[in-house]
Amino acid sequence: MKKNWNLPDLKTARIRTKENTLIEHSLFEIPEEARNMGSGKKYFLRTYGCQANERDGETIAGILEEMGYTATPTWEDADVVLMNTCAVREGAEQKVFGEVGQMKHIKKARPDMIIAVCGCMAQEEAVVNRIITTYRQVDLVFGTHNIYRLPKLLYETYRTKKRTIEVFSKQGEVIENLPARRVGTHKAYVNIMYGCDKFCTYCIVPYTRGKERSRLKEDIMQEVNELIKDGYKEITLLGQNVNAYGKDLGYADGFANLLEEVAKTGIPRLRFVTSHPWDFTQSMIDVIAKYPNIMKYIHLPVQAGSDEVLRRMGRRYTIAEYKELFDRIKKAIPDCAFTSDIIVGFPNETEEQFQKTLEIVDYCKYDLAYTFIYSKRAGTPAALMEDTVDRSVKEEHLQQLIARVAKYANEKNQSYVGKTEWVLVDGPSKKNSDVYSGYTETQHLVNFRIKEGTKAGDLVQVKILEAKSFTLDGEQI
Ligand code: SAH
Ligand code: SF4
Ligand code: F3S
């Protein structure tokens, strides 16, 4: 009965072989019968998680629009609802289950509506089992490796009126020539690689996203050049660990060379995320320092301040090595802004080890840091580690860490007061449409009064008048 289902399998997802990356330029197609399926119909897409997932959301939207669907901002009136999910922490998953739960009664009233769950949660065995047993309103589950098959999967679900589950747990290939409906009109994400082979012991991403695999440089450059032609002002190159770009294709100094080639196109603003502190090469630093259109902003997640915890996390560097890299970048690029990701409450993290995390925050004085309580992910090595630390201790540590991070974020923001900064205008700010917002080169958010005629996508100079804890206020000059 359930023979056609393809269920996820975390054990297979962990396998890595030395096989070459397969680059597919012609796998995506919309079958004849599915071509007009969406005509007169609406889709609702909600995306959680990192920029990689946001970029996948743009692909999903692009595919649906090629099938004739139009977007709707509310799921109540949608013909197809897609939840593009994140599996990195339990909280993100609970939210999705809550929302899918709420859709039950609408599905009852409108049985023709199709509810789909995709993204990283779909790659997890436990999640898919839970959907099978308790979330009967879900019609379609597909994973991160088979987005290109969405037209076929959607058509089959619609035609058979039966549940379709298709998740591949494999190393993965690179699928080119997918459509995209981009969210931004002047800022764009460009994938340069997929997957992750770092296997940090707490992290589910290497299982949900497969092997590290790079796109060909010519395919990336083609996308970049099209974006420039379409008037985009800022490009962010995406990878779970961009330092590894091109290694699977045999490129030497892959990321530094790619970054340089993209910078040479003259795109006004170039960014990249995420760079792992391990294997951050001198040639990368040199390229960032050399080109004014590469933004002086580096997201350099430290995760923890104790060598013992870093070792158990499988992070491949010591705090001394992290500091040495940090200092070397600072010396080469004095105005560089740094942000970080930090986890508290890793299994059995002691008080003393947590203090070391505060110490590295004191040392780096990050412009901002994203802080998390460790969340146990089934299938990862850390999930098997014994943990005797009380939840209340972890919460207390998180509060201390948030306060310390806020102190430096505020100090950094104060240092901008009186200065004039280049800002890329995003548009009217969310809270007050008389005020516009945008980001500095160093990725600080600014709310400011514009001069007449200024519009989204303009690069303007803004005098910073005041600093709030996490934002700046100013006026265009
Ligand atoms: N590839 C990127 C981002 C990975 S996910 C990187 O390595 O930096 C983003 C952040 O989520 C991580 O940096 C980490 O701080 C956090 N994270 C990942 N797994 C987690 C877990 N199990 N519990 C809590 N935080 C986690
Ligand atoms: Fe996860 Fe580590 Fe890979 Fe980042 S580098 S995605 S934290 S395994
Ligand atoms: Fe989440 Fe998947 Fe990104 S787990 S952080 S959406 S790679």
Side-chain angles (χ1 to χ4, degrees), residues 196-200 202-206 240-241 276 303 315:
C196 182
D197 286 348
K198 294 292 160 294
F199 287 99
C200 302
Y202 50 81
C203 184
I204 196 73
V205 173
Q240 294 300 341
N241 171 25
H276 195 293
Q303 311 295 2
R315 287 293 290 182

Side-chain angles (χ1 to χ4, degrees), residues 48-50 52-53 85-88 120 204-205 208-209 240:
Y48 289 100
C50 63
N53 226 32
T85 61
C86 170
V88 84
C120 286
I204 196 73
V205 173
T208 63
R209 293 276 166 177
Q240 294 300 341

Side-chain angles (χ1 to χ4, degrees), residues 50 88-89 196 200 202-205 239-241 274-276 299 301 303 315 341-344 370 372-377 380:
C50 63
V88 84
R89 283 172 293 274
C196 182
C200 302
Y202 50 81
C203 184
I204 196 73
V205 173
Q240 294 300 341
N241 171 25
T274 300
S275 34
H276 195 293
H299 184 56
Q303 311 295 2
R315 287 293 290 182
D341 290 345
I342 303 171
I343 297 174
V344 301
Y370 303 92
F372 314 104
I373 291 185
Y374 164 76
S375 173
K376 187 171 172 172
R377 304 286 71 206
T380 63

Side-chain angles (χ1 to χ4, degrees), residues 282-354:
Q282 185 60 42
S283 45
M284 282 166 60
I285 302 175
D286 295 343
V287 170
I288 299 163
K290 181 171 166 194
Y291 290 89
N293 59 341
I294 302 178
M295 298 297 97
K296 307 309 179 229
Y297 162 83
I298 298 175
H299 184 56
L300 199 67
V302 71
Q303 311 295 2
S306 135
D307 284 341
E308 170 60 14
V309 174
L310 287 171
R311 192 186 59 73
R312 291 197 298 120
M313 285 179 162
R315 287 293 290 182
R316 307 171 186 224
Y317 52 83
T318 62
I319 276 299
E321 286 163 344
Y322 183 92
K323 285 181 172 169
E324 189 276 328
L325 172 66
F326 180 87
D327 291 342
R328 195 147 42 88
I329 300 174
K330 264 227 118 109
K331 202 165 159 215
I333 313 163
D335 294 332
C336 193
F338 288 89
T339 57
S340 194
D341 290 345
I342 303 171
I343 297 174
V344 301
F346 189 74
N348 281 342
E349 184 180 61
T350 65
E351 187 59 40
E352 204 186 342
Q353 287 166 338
F354 169 68

